[in-house]
Amino acid sequence: MLSKKEKKLIREIWERLSPVAEDIGADALLRYLLLLFFRCRMFASFPGTKTYFSHLDISRGSAHLSSHGKKIVLAIAEGAKDISQLTVTLAPLQTLHAYQLRIDPTNFKLLSHCMLVTLACYLGEGFTPEAHAAMDKFLSAFAAVLAEKYR
Ligand code: HNI
């Protein structure tokens, strides 16, 4: 359960990241974020996750990697705008991942973990213990909502 203060913190962090996501072509920092996130983190730490992306080029610096990473960052940022409405905001993504893509829901936890590590690298001192705890709760809630349709 996220407190009011934690929800505000999460909103602020993702508000800060969203404009960067939209400017992906020009922003080296976001590229770094996405590269860390996908290539160096999820795909490298958990190679099994690559099997879902065999139809895409997920090599370092590829256009697919950047555009997909951007979609994910923006989807999380959208959810952070109003955490009490996560179930509504994520409904289309729940259906996509559960029924069309058939992603094993344990993967959502892996991605949440990678995202947390990535944010710690990207935000540096801004990733305070409070931000860490709040982000961990938020990403867990996010992953749980994405996995709801599997029940
Ligand atoms: Ni995910 C497509 C968001 C976790 C595999 N995913 C998307 C899209 C968004 C998205 C947004 C694009 C939808 C569209 O184009 O309409 N995915 C998210 C979010 C999370 C997540 C916010 C977790 C926080 N996805 C995962 C995980 C896997 C995954 C953990 C597999 C390991 N996603 C996919 C695949 C696609 C996808 C595969 C389709 C890619 C494509 O372009 O074909």
Side-chain angles (χ1 to χ4, degrees):
M1 188 67 183
L2 284 135
S3 68
K4 236 178 161 175
K5 203 173 143 199
E6 286 176 324
K7 285 183 182 171
K8 186 166 170 276
L9 192 58
I10 297 292
R11 245 192 347 263
E12 285 167 0
I13 292 176
W14 286 102
E15 266 168 24
R16 190 180 145 195
L17 294 169
S18 297
V20 192
E22 273 150 27
D23 196 18
I24 184 169
D27 199 298
L29 275 180
L30 186 75
R31 241 183 258 137
Y32 168 73
L33 171 79
L34 295 173
L35 280 176
L36 275 179
F37 171 35
F38 267 119
R39 172 104 190 123
C40 309
R41 302 246 180 255
M42 191 172 85
F43 293 149
S45 305
F46 308 105
T49 56
K50 289 196 282 190
T51 56
Y52 295 105
F53 296 88
S54 57
H55 58 299
L56 299 181
D57 170 15
I58 52 168
S59 60
R60 185 179 289 269
S62 79
H64 282 156
L65 192 68
S66 299
S67 71
H68 191 69
K70 180 181 172 185
K71 280 185 202 168
I72 293 195
V73 170
L74 292 178
I76 301 179
E78 192 58 35
K81 283 184 190 163
D82 187 354
I83 296 173
S84 64
Q85 292 298 306
L86 267 188
T87 315
V88 180
T89 320
L90 294 186
L93 284 181
Q94 284 177 331
T95 308
L96 177 75
H97 287 79
Y99 299 134
Q100 282 166 254
L101 299 169
R102 295 172 182 270
I103 308 292
D104 181 327
T106 50
N107 287 301
F108 300 133
K109 290 186 186 159
L110 304 182
L111 189 139
S112 296
H113 166 75
C114 294
M115 183 51 100
L116 204 60
V117 176
T118 301
L119 290 172
C121 292
Y122 184 71
L123 296 170
E125 286 182 4
F127 197 70
T128 60
E130 291 75 24
H132 183 167
M135 192 60 75
D136 189 25
K137 281 197 219 174
F138 168 62
L139 290 172
S140 300
F142 200 100
V145 172
L146 267 189
E148 259 171 24
K149 282 270 159 76
Y150 292 81
R151 291 200 196 120

